[in-house]
Amino acid sequence: MLEVGQSTWRHLTLAQRARLLGRLHATVSASAEEWADIAATSKELEPGHPLRGEEWLGGPYAVLTALEAYRTSVRALAQGESPLARVRTDAAPGGRLCARVFPLTAIDGLLLSGYSGEVWFEPGVTEAEARRNAGLGQLTPTTPAGVGVVLGAGNVSAIPVLDVLYELMASNRVVLLKVNPTQDALLPVFERALAPLIEPGFVRIVRGAGDVGAYLTTHRSISHVHITGATPTFDAIVWGPGANGERRRRANRPLLKKPITAELGGVSPIIIVPGEWSTADLRFHAEHVVTMRLQNSGHNCIAGQIVLLSADWPQREAFLDALRVAYEAAPRRSAWYPRSDEKLQGAASDYPDASWCADGTRALIEIGAGDDATALETTEYFAPILGVVSLPGTGQEFLDAAVAHANEKLTGTLGANLLIDPAAEAALGDGFERAIADLHYGAIAINSWTAFGFLIPTLTWGGFPGSTLQNVVSGMGVVHNALLLDRVERSLTRGPFRPLPRSVSALAGPGRFSVLPKPSWFVTSRTGATVSEGFTRFRMDGNWARLMGTLVQAFRA
């Protein structure tokens, strides 16, 4: 059926594809409430739990915004215009081109006030080249690319659907999606939500364990493999399992004979740049760090795992005190992902002096002088485990040391986070942007969290370029990328250091003004579930009256 669908797909005009994306928006909207409910329940979040909003944002919201963005790009191409035509570009450090890809609409600027997103191209890419090549597979829509298999992630429900959309839009590949066993309960929802793609044979969805995935990757009808998961799974697919697979890897004799792309995880840093922070700043960003670790119970490929802190910051102890309080106080929930118990036990074994918080369900590991941070820096725990590593210096000296430490000591290149107050950033000047350029991660979040970049469809998502089959690090290739940009190096998000009302100070000095109080995705937001659902429903139906009620709830966070 997919081979027939491949022929049909290549005969669709760009205008027809845009209308198809509109139909998908309707079917995803119709499935959204059930989608979010099943996803939350499968993660042991019962009705009324304050964290159920995570499943609205990480499920239907992410897909709806992606569909809107892809449809805008395809419509532009259908009219003979580049998806980048109305996007402002300027220079970035190191001979790079920067495209300011968020916000592009007034509603984005309202719902995510004070936040912005940008894409940095590889050094040497010109503005003319970037605009000319924007569109990828949709520039040659009649050229077939075969059938791809997507091995779906099991932690965030939007990921497999977003990966399917990217295969179709960026590569003109029809898709066989194998859902992860953790999402089997969502299979009927996915089938209804993606019915406009399934009925004509553009997508097929199957379920099964690892043996099914292994069979599909080697099937003669499959021309391309995409996986979101962990490095060991990638290596088993490419080289084969066990000792034989390792021998093939060393000899560069891959078992897989077809192209593969992958989004894999890593150990994500949270760099705290020293500055003069108020008590409210310390408390807010302690909750920010806790959110980076505990959202989805830590089962995120870009969950912040290591706080890089200045040993010479006068407010170091005050920040750590605020972090300990916030880590203990965050809402309780279970570590639901398979093998989480093993990860928690491994951390307990590696660091017997760790502090166990929230009735022993989450660990805070503070590396002291003479302690070995190797396990913390090289193991993606994928569980509620947060570490703190101290480095010498302040100002530019500390920032450069933290960047070097992240690049050289931490496993992975998927996402890095930096928190810096506006005065400190202004004092660093060009040195700050140079340090960002030196930070080799595919997603960088400044006063935001890299998951924010995951949710913005016009940004790219993937590890830093340069990975190989033998050393895949955090993956190969990118996804999301709804502007269909070519030769992208990384994506950045920037947010307000202070929420409303303290963001008002940015109107008369450095920093970013925001009309938002505590963001709805903070695990400590009192109204996060209500606001996240409300934002999703607005993406579904554009009901401004109901949105006003949601914004009122946002101010009660």
Side-chain angles (χ1 to χ4, degrees):
M1 184 175 178
L2 285 172
E3 291 172 335
V4 174
Q6 177 188 195
S7 177
T8 306
W9 177 257
R10 64 189 289 259
H11 284 94
L12 291 186
T13 66
L14 291 173
Q16 288 172 323
R17 294 181 185 195
R19 288 195 292 272
L20 177 60
L21 291 168
R23 287 184 57 206
L24 278 168
H25 190 280
T27 53
V28 170
S29 296
S31 306
E33 184 170 354
E34 184 183 11
W35 181 336
D37 180 62
I38 291 175
T41 301
S42 70
K43 296 179 182 181
E44 303 175 20
L45 298 176
E46 297 303 321
H49 196 288
L51 298 180
R52 283 175 72 93
E54 294 179 0
E55 301 311 314
W56 283 94
L57 291 181
Y61 180 93
V63 173
L64 290 168
T65 55
L67 289 169
E68 293 167 2
Y70 280 125
R71 182 167 50 174
T72 299
S73 292
V74 174
R75 282 174 170 170
L77 290 165
Q79 296 168 2
E81 188 176 77
S82 169
L84 264 184
R86 303 177 189 275
V87 176
R88 181 169 63 91
T89 62
D90 52 32
R96 294 172 174 89
L97 178 73
C98 168
R100 310 289 181 176
V101 302
F102 182 88
L104 295 179
T105 66
I107 189 59
D108 286 338
L110 173 64
L111 296 186
L112 297 168
S113 171
Y115 290 85
S116 65
E118 60 205 61
V119 167
W120 288 14
F121 292 86
E122 296 173 358
V125 174
T126 66
E127 180 179 353
E129 181 184 358
R131 295 189 189 280
R132 183 174 62 249
N133 293 336
L136 297 178
Q138 300 308 303
L139 294 173
T140 54
T142 61
T143 302
V147 178
V149 64
V150 167
L151 303 180
N155 59 325
V156 176
S157 64
I159 292 176
V161 178
L162 293 174
D163 290 349
V164 164
L165 293 175
Y166 193 67
E167 286 288 286
L168 281 166
M169 304 310 298
S171 302
N172 275 331
R173 272 190 288 271
V174 297
V175 185
L176 176 61
L177 167 64
K178 189 197 83 66
V179 297
N180 189 287
T182 63
Q183 295 189 354
D184 279 351
L186 281 166
L187 181 59
V189 177
F190 288 161
E191 289 175 336
R192 288 191 291 275
L194 299 182
L197 298 177
I198 295 172
E199 290 164 359
F202 304 149
V203 171
R204 184 182 175 192
I205 308 176
V206 299
R207 53 178 290 185
D211 58 331
V212 175
Y215 169 77
L216 294 174
T217 60
T218 57
H219 194 281
R220 61 178 178 79
S221 297
I222 298 297
S223 60
H224 182 272
V225 177
H226 178 78
I227 175 177
T228 297
T231 302
T233 305
F234 176 92
D235 287 341
I237 291 170
V238 173
W239 309 104
N244 287 337
E246 178 58 26
R247 281 191 289 271
R248 290 191 193 95
R249 190 180 69 84
R250 289 197 300 266
N252 194 22
R253 290 187 292 106
L255 197 63
L256 187 71
K257 304 300 183 184
K258 58 194 68 173
I260 183 171
T261 52
E263 186 266 276
L264 311 174
V267 175
S268 292
I270 307 168
I271 299 172
I272 310 292
V273 182
E276 294 184 16
W277 293 17
S278 68
T279 300
D281 294 335
L282 292 168
R283 183 171 58 250
F284 177 79
H285 285 294
E287 294 181 18
H288 202 168
V289 170
V290 167
T291 294
M292 296 180 196
R293 177 69 269 182
L294 295 183
Q295 201 270 358
N296 201 25
S297 201
H299 308 315
N300 289 326
C301 53
I302 38 74
Q305 182 164 305
I306 292 188
V307 177
L308 296 180
L309 199 59
S310 167
D312 301 315
W313 185 26
Q315 293 181 288
R316 177 181 182 277
E317 289 305 320
F319 177 76
L320 284 175
D321 286 344
L323 181 61
R324 295 179 190 114
V325 170
Y327 201 60
E328 169 65 34
R332 269 59 166 172
R333 65 177 301 180
S334 62
W336 59 268
Y337 202 77
R339 298 182 59 201
S340 293
D341 288 347
E342 295 177 27
K343 299 295 183 71
L344 292 167
Q345 290 168 8
S349 176
D350 291 331
Y351 298 100
D353 294 331
S355 299
W356 288 86
C357 310
D359 304 318
T361 59
R362 57 188 74 143
L364 181 61
I365 302 168
E366 299 178 36
I367 300 296
D371 291 344
D372 185 1
T374 301
L376 188 63
E377 294 178 336
T378 59
T379 304
E380 183 191 7
Y381 285 113
F382 213 70
I385 298 163
L386 179 66
V388 178
V389 173
S390 296
L391 302 173
T394 59
Q396 193 72 53
E397 178 189 9
F398 167 79
L399 180 56
D400 290 343
V403 167
H405 191 94
N407 287 342
E408 297 165 11
K409 299 291 187 181
L410 306 188
T411 293
T413 64
L414 184 59
N417 312 274
L418 296 93
L419 301 179
I420 181 170
D421 73 271
E425 183 176 345
L428 291 174
D430 291 343
F432 180 74
E433 293 298 316
R434 176 188 55 75
I436 295 299
D438 289 341
L439 193 54
H440 290 173
Y441 285 79
I444 298 173
I446 302 162
N447 292 333
S448 59
W449 175 29
T450 45
F452 183 80
F454 171 90
L455 282 177
I456 297 177
T458 49
L459 293 173
T460 57
W461 187 251
F464 195 77
S467 296
T468 63
L469 290 179
Q470 290 93 339
N471 184 26
V472 70
V473 195
S474 286
M476 307 173 72
V478 300
V479 290
H480 303 183
N481 188 23
L483 294 173
L484 301 171
L485 306 178
D486 193 24
R487 295 186 62 191
V488 169
E489 181 184 66
R490 70 183 88 190
S491 289
L492 281 74
T493 58
R494 302 177 194 257
F497 182 75
R498 298 181 175 97
L500 196 73
R502 292 184 297 113
S503 65
V504 172
S505 63
L507 296 176
R512 288 170 171 252
F513 173 72
S514 173
V515 301
L516 296 179
K518 184 183 295 184
S520 63
W521 56 88
F522 269 38
V523 295
T524 51
S525 171
R526 291 180 298 182
T527 60
T530 300
V531 174
S532 297
E533 178 181 347
F535 282 177
T536 307
R537 291 192 181 279
F538 180 78
R539 294 295 189 180
M540 292 161 55
D541 59 22
N543 186 321
W544 281 94
R546 187 162 57 198
L547 177 62
M548 293 304 104
T550 297
L551 293 175
V552 169
Q553 292 299 313
F555 282 100
R556 298 179 57 246

